[in-house]
C-alpha cells in the first residue's frame, strides 16, 4: 500500500519543550520518515505561530490556525451541545474544511489524531484509509479524579467533563482501527473502560532524546549556589504541576530544611501560575519561569523531584532527569508507567514525609545518589530511545502493508 498520512494535533509540535509537544514532535518526525505527512494543528500564541517555517520543513502540506476560542465560549458551546468542554475548546471550522479538502485532494491512506480533542476533526473515512487514534493519556479519568476530590461548581464541571469525555473516547475508539496510549498502564485502564481488547488498544510509549538530555553534552551551566539544590521541571500553568510544587514547597521542603537549612527548591518551567509565583516568597524557593535550556538546572540538581498527586501516562520530566543521570524522587503517580526499578534507578515516595526522608537520605549519601543517577541513565539508554519506542508505528498505521511504507 502506498499513500500519504494526515496528522492532526492540538498544538504545533514545535518547539518540543513541553510534554504534549515532545511526543507530537517525535511522532511527526517518525511519520515523515514513513510517508509524506499533511499536518493540521493549532497555535496558542504568537510564539507558536512563529514556528510555521519549521513545520513546513517537515510537512508535505500544513494548516496552522490560531486557537482563539475562549474557555467561556467553549464552555457555553459545550454545554449547549452536550459536548466535552475539551473538545469544544479545540474546534475551528477552518480545520474541518482543510481536513475535508486534504482527504479529497491527497492520496491519504492513514489518519493519525493526536489527543482526544482532535478526534472530532476526523470524518467518516473511506474503507482503504486507516484511522490511528493516539489518545496519549486517559483524559476523562483525570477529570473524574478532579471532580471526585473537589467541591462546588468546578467539581461539578469536572465530573461532567469526565462523564461526557469518556463517552466521546469510547465512541472514537469504536471508530478507530487502533488506539494508542503512552503506557501499558493507561492502555489497560482504557481497555477496561471501553471493552475493547489488546488488539485495538495498545501502548505506544514516550521516549527521551538521549543525545540532547545527556550529562556529557554541551549546554550552559548555572551557578549552583550554596546548599543542596532540588529541582522540579514542567509547564507551570498545568494544574497537576502547580499542585505538586505547592505541596513540595509548603510541606516537604520545610522538613528537609530542618536537616539542611540552606536547601533550595527550584521550580523551572514556563508560564508559572500566580499560585506558583507566590511560592517564591517562601524560604529557599526559586521560581525561574521559562529558561533557555533546562539541562543546566537538571545538571546542577542534587536531587530532581516529581511529587505529582494526579498524573497520567509517562512523565517526560522524569525520563529527562534520569537521562541526565540525576537521582530522582518521584511519587507513585509520576513513576507509574516508567519501566524502572524503585531503589535501583529512581526512588518512589508516596507522601511529603516519605519525600523528605528519601531526599535527606540521598543528600547524606552522595555516592549512593551518584550510583542512582548512573543507573537511571543506563536504563534510559537501554529502554527509552525514541527509535525504539516508536518502532511499531508503521505496523499500527498500515498493518500487514507496513513493510512497503517503513523507511
Amino acid at each position: 500500500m502506498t499513500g500519504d498520512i494526515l496528522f492532526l494535533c492540538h498544538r504545533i509540535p514545535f518547539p518540543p519543550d513541553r510534554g504534549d509537544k515532545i511526543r507530537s514532535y517525535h511522532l511527526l518526525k517518525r511519520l515523515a520518515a514513513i510517508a509524506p505527512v499533511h499536518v493540521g494543528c493549532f497555535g496558542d500564541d504568537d510564539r507558536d505561530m512563529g514556528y510555521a517555517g519549521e513545520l513546513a520543513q517537515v510537512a508535505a502540506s500544513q494548516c496552522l490556525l490560531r486557537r482563539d476560542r475562549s474557555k467561556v465560549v467553549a464552555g457555553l458551546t459545550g454545554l449547549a451541545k452536550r459536548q466535552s468542554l475539551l473538545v469544544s475548546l479545540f474546534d475551528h471550522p477552518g480545520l474541518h474544511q482543510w481536513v475535508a479538502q486534504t482527504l479529497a485532494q491527497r492520496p491519504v491512506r492513514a489518519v493519525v489524531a493526536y489527543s482526544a480533542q482532535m478526534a472530532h476533526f476526523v470524518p467518516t473515512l473511506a474503507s482503504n484509509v486507516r484511522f490511528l487514534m493516539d489518545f496519549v493519556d486517559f483524559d476523562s479519568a483525570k477529570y473524574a479524579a478532579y471532580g471526585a476530590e473537589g467541591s462546588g461548581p468546578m467539581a461539578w464541571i469536572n465530573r461532567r467533563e469526565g462523564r461526557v469525555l469518556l463517552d466521546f473516547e469510547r465512541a472514537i475508539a469504536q471508530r478507530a482501527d487502533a488506539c494508542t496510549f503512552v503506557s501499558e498502564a493507561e492502555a489497560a485502564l482504557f481497555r477496561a473502560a471501553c471493552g475493547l481488547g489488546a488488539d485495538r488498544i495498545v501502548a505506544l510509549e514516550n521516549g527521551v532524546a538521549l543525545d540532547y538530555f545527556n550529562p556529557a553534552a554541551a549546554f550552559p551551566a548555572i551557578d549552583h549556589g550554596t546548599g543542596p539544590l532540588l529541582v522540579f521541571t514542567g509547564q507551570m500553568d498545568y494544574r497537576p504541576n502547580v499542585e505538586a510544587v505547592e505541596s513540595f514547597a509548603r510541606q516537604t521542603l520545610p522538613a528537609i530544611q530542618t536537616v539542611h537549612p540552606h536547601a533550595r527548591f527550584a521550580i523551572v518551567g514556563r508560564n508559572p501560575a500566580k499560585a506558583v509565583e507566590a511560592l517564591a516568597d517562601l524560604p529557599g524557593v526559586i521560581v525561574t519561569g521559562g529558561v533557555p535550556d533546562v539541562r543546566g538546572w537538571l545538571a546542577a540538581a542534587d536531587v530532581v523531584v516529581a511529587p505529582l498527586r494526579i498524573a497520567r501516562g509517562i512523565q517526560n520530566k522524569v525520563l529527562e532527569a534520569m537521562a541526565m543521570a540525576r537521582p530522582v524522587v518521584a511519587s507513585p503517580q509520576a513513576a507509574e508507567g516508567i519501566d524502572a526499578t524503585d531503589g535501583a534507578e529512581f526512588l518512589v515516595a508516596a507522601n511529603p514525609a516519605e519525600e523528605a526522608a528519601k531526599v535527606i537520605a540521598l543528600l547524606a549519601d552522595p555516592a549512593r545518589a551518584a550510583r542512582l543517577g548512573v543507573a537511571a541513565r543506563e536504563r534510559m539508554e537501554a529502554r527509552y530511545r525514541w527509535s525504539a519506542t516508536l518502532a511499531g508505528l508503521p505496523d499500527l498505521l498500515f498493518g500487514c502493508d507496513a513493510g512497503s511504507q517503513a523507511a
Side-chain angles (χ1 to χ4, degrees):
M1 180 187 292
T2 60
D4 294 2
I5 299 169
L6 174 61
F7 182 47
L8 304 172
C9 51
H10 63 297
R11 288 189 176 90
I12 183 172
F14 296 89
D17 61 355
R18 54 179 287 167
D20 54 354
K21 290 189 175 191
I22 291 169
R23 182 175 173 90
S24 63
Y25 171 85
H26 287 281
L27 273 176
L28 173 58
K29 298 283 278 189
R30 183 67 185 101
L31 292 172
I34 297 170
V37 184
H38 308 279
V39 181
C41 59
F42 292 105
D44 284 340
D45 49 33
D46 291 342
R47 178 175 181 262
D48 278 356
M49 300 303 290
Y51 282 92
E54 282 79 354
L55 179 59
Q57 293 178 20
V58 181
S61 71
Q62 66 187 67
C63 178
L64 172 60
L65 298 171
R66 180 70 173 261
R67 186 169 64 87
D68 53 7
R69 175 173 279 197
S70 72
K71 290 184 178 180
V72 173
V73 170
L76 293 174
T77 302
L79 289 170
K81 292 183 176 181
R82 297 184 178 180
Q83 183 183 52
S84 158
L85 305 186
L86 183 65
V87 172
S88 180
L89 187 62
F90 287 84
D91 199 6
H92 197 294
L95 190 55
H96 284 286
Q97 182 180 7
W98 181 82
V99 167
Q101 290 174 345
T102 301
L103 289 171
Q105 298 171 3
R106 306 281 186 168
V108 173
R109 291 296 175 264
V111 177
V112 181
Y114 177 82
S115 273
Q117 57 264 52
M118 298 306 291
H120 69 297
F121 291 107
V122 182
T124 300
L125 299 171
S127 60
N128 64 338
V129 180
R130 283 177 63 86
F131 175 21
L132 174 62
M133 181 66 234
D134 185 22
F135 281 112
V136 188
D137 299 327
F138 191 180
D139 282 331
S140 62
K142 175 179 67 178
Y143 287 103
Y146 289 155
E149 71 175 12
S151 60
M154 279 307 302
W156 180 88
I157 290 172
N158 284 323
R159 288 193 296 271
R160 176 199 180 274
E161 183 69 0
R163 293 192 303 270
V164 175
L165 186 56
L166 177 58
D167 289 342
F168 179 74
E169 290 167 337
R170 285 169 169 162
I172 293 302
Q174 291 291 339
R175 289 184 53 206
D177 293 286
C179 301
T180 53
F181 287 83
V182 75
S183 70
E184 175 55 31
E186 291 285 283
L189 286 173
F190 190 73
R191 285 196 290 265
C194 74
L196 296 175
D199 59 326
R200 298 274 298 280
I201 313 297
V202 301
L204 187 69
E205 294 178 320
N206 275 3
V208 61
L210 287 167
D211 291 337
Y212 183 82
F213 288 100
N214 185 338
F219 50 83
I222 67 160
D223 183 5
H224 187 287
T226 302
L229 180 63
L230 318 174
V231 172
F232 176 96
T233 63
Q235 182 75 14
M236 291 319 306
D237 56 358
Y238 180 51
R239 177 176 168 176
N241 288 344
V242 173
E243 293 177 351
V245 297
E246 283 193 296
S247 170
F248 194 89
R250 297 187 185 280
Q251 299 180 62
T252 309
L253 182 61
I256 295 169
Q257 289 171 332
T258 62
V259 179
H260 297 277
H262 300 295
R264 293 157 300 139
F265 175 42
I267 301 167
V268 182
R270 293 174 53 218
N271 300 333
K274 289 183 178 179
V276 176
E277 291 179 338
L279 297 175
D281 295 332
L282 300 176
V285 177
I286 304 163
V287 178
T288 70
V291 297
D293 194 331
V294 73
R295 292 174 297 175
W297 286 94
L298 291 173
D302 294 285
V303 181
V304 176
V305 297
L308 289 93
R309 305 302 176 218
I310 293 180
R312 309 302 322 174
I314 291 179
Q315 295 298 310
N316 291 297
K317 59 174 63 68
V318 176
L319 298 183
E320 291 166 0
M322 294 176 73
M324 289 293 292
R326 305 319 302 149
V328 175
V329 175
S331 66
Q333 294 89 338
E336 184 179 39
I338 297 178
D339 186 10
T341 303
D342 179 19
E345 291 138 351
F346 60 3
L347 300 181
V348 178
N351 53 56
E354 285 190 15
E355 289 163 4
K358 293 192 175 185
V359 169
I360 290 169
L362 286 174
L363 295 177
D365 192 348
R368 183 192 177 209
R371 289 195 302 271
L372 199 68
V374 169
R377 172 72 191 185
E378 291 174 348
R379 189 58 181 156
M380 294 300 101
E381 290 176 340
R383 182 69 174 75
Y384 283 102
R385 291 186 181 276
W386 277 107
S387 58
T389 60
L390 296 183
L393 191 55
D395 285 339
L396 288 169
L397 283 173
F398 298 106
C400 62
D401 296 309
S404 64
Q405 293 280 340

